[in-house]
Amino acid sequence: MSTIRNSRTRLLTAAASVALAALTLTACNGDGTGVTDEGAAPSASRPTPTAPTASAPSAPSSSGTGTGTGTGTGSSGSAPASKPTAHDPSEPAAKNPAKPPASAGRPVTCEGSTLKTVAAPLNRPVNHMLLTVTNTGSSPCHLYAYPAVRFGEAQAVPPVVEESHPQAVVTLAPGESGYAAVLLSAADGSGAHGHTEKSLSVHFYGPSGSGSVGSAATPPLPAQGVFVDDSLRVTYWQQDLDDALTW
């Protein structure tokens, strides 16, 4: 009996020890699961991955390089679109008005000092001479009516061929030429008082058509001179060479 009692005592002692150990584990775990969650506390205090990136761009984009031109990185990348250019190609006239050319200006009356005048006898039409005047001035000029020519010591100017009247006043831009023909003598020899002249002066009419203006031109004639008679006439000034040679 003593042996049986001792065995029961040992069994009860062992059972009590097991129960005590179970209670001890339960008290340490706190949730009765028997597993200690050692990583819970550190993970709860770890910063979220989005927190640093949300505020990172704001600092450089607000300060940039200090020039305000949008050269910094971050949200200011669209700033160069609004940066003004030095010369806006969309409105060149407003910012850089074109300088008027030197030839711009109000037209004036053509006269000897602003014209280069050449007198050239022609083979065809026969007994004709061509007057060519070129505007050497800086402004356009008007050639009014017809050339008032004087050969030698003549006191009067020859009449004009009325049929040669142009539709409009001849205007010469700088560097442009105008023309008139001089009918020196009758082609069939019917003219009276024929003689040779070796000098010529060309005078220019003003808008009124009465009296010459400015200085006369004195183009040279061939060394042998030109033959003229009472058939001497001139055409109106022409813009086109062919029109001058029609008469």
Side-chain angles (χ1 to χ4, degrees):
M1 292 295 291
S2 175
T3 301
I4 295 172
R5 186 179 296 109
N6 290 335
S7 298
R8 289 180 177 175
T9 300
R10 286 195 296 271
L11 290 174
L12 289 175
T13 300
S17 299
V18 170
L20 180 60
L23 290 174
T24 302
L25 290 174
T26 301
C28 292
N29 293 338
D31 56 358
T33 62
V35 179
T36 301
D37 188 3
E38 296 180 354
S43 63
S45 62
R46 184 183 305 151
T48 61
T50 58
T53 57
S55 59
S58 60
S61 63
S62 61
S63 60
T65 61
T67 61
T69 60
T71 58
T73 59
S75 61
S76 61
S78 60
S82 60
K83 181 180 178 180
T85 58
H87 298 288
D88 190 347
S90 66
E91 46 181 3
K95 292 188 176 181
N96 299 290
K99 183 179 180 180
S103 61
R106 298 182 60 182
V108 297
T109 300
C110 297
E111 47 98 4
S113 65
T114 59
L115 295 172
K116 177 183 178 181
T117 305
V118 176
L122 302 175
N123 293 325
R124 289 192 178 185
V126 295
N127 300 345
H128 278 59
M129 183 174 69
L130 178 67
L131 291 178
T132 302
V133 292
T134 303
N135 184 0
T136 59
S138 60
S139 298
C141 70
H142 295 313
L143 279 173
Y144 292 105
Y146 52 91
V149 299
R150 292 181 185 272
F151 287 94
E153 301 299 325
Q155 299 299 311
V157 298
V160 65
V161 179
E162 291 294 345
E163 294 83 0
S164 66
H165 199 294
Q167 294 183 350
V169 173
V170 175
T171 301
L172 304 181
E176 193 173 19
S177 298
Y179 311 91
V182 181
L183 289 69
L184 299 171
S185 59
D188 59 3
S190 60
H193 303 98
H195 61 283
T196 299
E197 292 288 354
K198 294 188 176 182
S199 64
L200 170 67
S201 62
V202 181
H203 301 261
F204 300 87
Y205 287 115
S208 65
S210 60
S212 61
V213 297
S215 60
T218 56
L221 295 176
Q224 70 273 20
V226 294
F227 182 82
V228 299
D229 62 22
D230 289 349
S231 301
L232 184 63
R233 293 180 296 167
V234 297
T235 68
Y236 282 93
W237 290 112
Q238 307 292 330
Q239 197 86 49
D240 186 82
L241 173 61
D242 291 338
D243 291 338
L245 299 180
T246 301
W247 312 97

